[in-house]
Amino acid sequence: FKMSWKLFATAGVVLPLGFLQYIGYFKTMKIAKQTFKAADAFYKPYQGPYNKELGDHFTAVDTDIKANPVGTKLFTEKHATMFGIYYDDPDRHPEGSQLRADVGIIYEAGSLDANELEHILKDLASKGYAHAKFEDAECLYETFPFKVSAMFAFMLGPKKFYTSVKAVFKEQPELYQEVGKAPGFAAVEVYTNDAIEFYFPISNVGQFYLTKHPVPPLKESRH
């Protein structure tokens, strides 16, 4: 009987730890340089908290694009994936701030012919979308897996990645030179079937700064 309780107690510790390990809770982010490959994009601006409201915005964007036959083709033929660009660090702004993001799809340049591009441009522009072209850019890069539920990745991945990026800039301030010349930072997240791919541009940074919304107020510094 005592042995049964010991086994039960051990399982009560090991199983939760195993689950946390599986979803990436203990993952060490190994930041490396990687090229963000040139791509085209359709995106829709967002302003608000980085929470469920942003998730609803993603859902609406996905619906809009897949409602267009050209958009459906891009996904069906695996030329496109969802992405987001984030401009604000939530830790630096008061809770409930109007944080800025752009949400949409990136797709391989040349995937659409002229007629297809004109068709989807006209349709999405009427719904508040814009079109962008990105050139190759050197980035700080890592991934975080989707396991069990995407919710866990969105809860854990960004915090781990951006904390690690801040540490890299602290250790290698020269990497921040190009970022400092841009209007502001723009962090890119690409959402594949398996993971979030994080790109923090350190070259050609300005091309990712698409937002036209003003910077939200910063937290008051405490002395």
Side-chain angles (χ1 to χ4, degrees):
F1 182 75
K2 289 181 179 179
M3 183 60 71
S4 296
W5 273 108
K6 287 181 180 179
L7 290 172
F8 182 79
T10 301
V13 173
V14 172
L15 290 177
L17 287 176
F19 178 75
L20 292 175
Q21 177 73 31
Y22 180 71
I23 65 173
Y25 184 85
F26 301 112
K27 176 179 171 65
T28 299
M29 303 299 271
K30 298 176 181 178
I31 307 299
K33 290 182 181 179
Q34 182 153 315
T35 300
F36 178 94
K37 298 294 186 182
D40 289 3
F42 294 106
Y43 66 94
K44 189 172 187 177
Y46 170 84
Q47 194 171 26
Y50 292 164
N51 60 13
K52 183 180 179 298
E53 290 180 34
L54 178 58
D56 292 343
H57 189 72
F58 265 99
T59 300
V61 167
D62 183 68
T63 300
D64 284 345
I65 292 173
K66 289 179 179 176
N68 185 287
V70 177
T72 299
K73 172 193 169 183
L74 285 171
F75 278 106
T76 302
E77 297 182 1
K78 299 183 178 179
H79 294 301
T81 188
M82 297 291 291
F83 87 114
I85 302 179
Y86 301 91
Y87 302 100
D88 301 307
D89 178 352
D91 292 339
R92 299 184 63 204
H93 302 277
E95 187 174 348
S97 292
Q98 294 296 294
L99 306 179
R100 302 163 299 158
D102 287 309
V103 173
I105 63 166
I106 55 171
Y107 64 95
E108 299 172 18
S111 300
L112 302 178
D113 63 34
N115 289 333
E116 290 173 326
L117 181 58
E118 181 181 4
H119 174 80
I120 193 170
L121 272 174
K122 184 177 180 179
D123 177 37
L124 292 181
S126 69
K127 299 174 182 177
Y129 290 76
H131 185 253
K133 288 180 173 289
F134 301 120
E135 299 176 356
D136 284 2
E138 188 175 28
C139 299
L140 299 181
Y141 172 84
E142 236 299 26
T143 66
F144 195 90
F146 286 133
K147 295 288 182 69
V148 182
S149 168
M151 175 186 70
F152 295 120
F154 289 119
M155 287 172 58
L156 299 171
K159 186 70 173 178
K160 283 180 170 288
F161 176 74
Y162 296 115
T163 298
S164 298
V165 164
K166 288 176 185 178
V168 169
F169 284 138
K170 188 174 181 178
E171 294 170 3
Q172 304 177 62
E174 68 278 4
L175 293 178
Y176 197 78
Q177 290 180 0
E178 283 297 316
V179 180
K181 295 176 185 177
F185 77 81
V188 182
E189 297 180 12
V190 177
Y191 308 104
T192 71
N193 290 331
D194 304 313
I196 306 175
E197 297 183 351
F198 294 97
Y199 295 88
F200 197 102
I202 55 175
S203 73
N204 282 342
V205 179
Q207 67 174 337
F208 296 101
Y209 198 82
L210 304 175
T211 185
K212 292 180 173 57
H213 293 303
V215 178
L218 297 172
K219 287 180 179 176
E220 293 183 7
S221 59
R222 295 179 180 178
H223 300 287

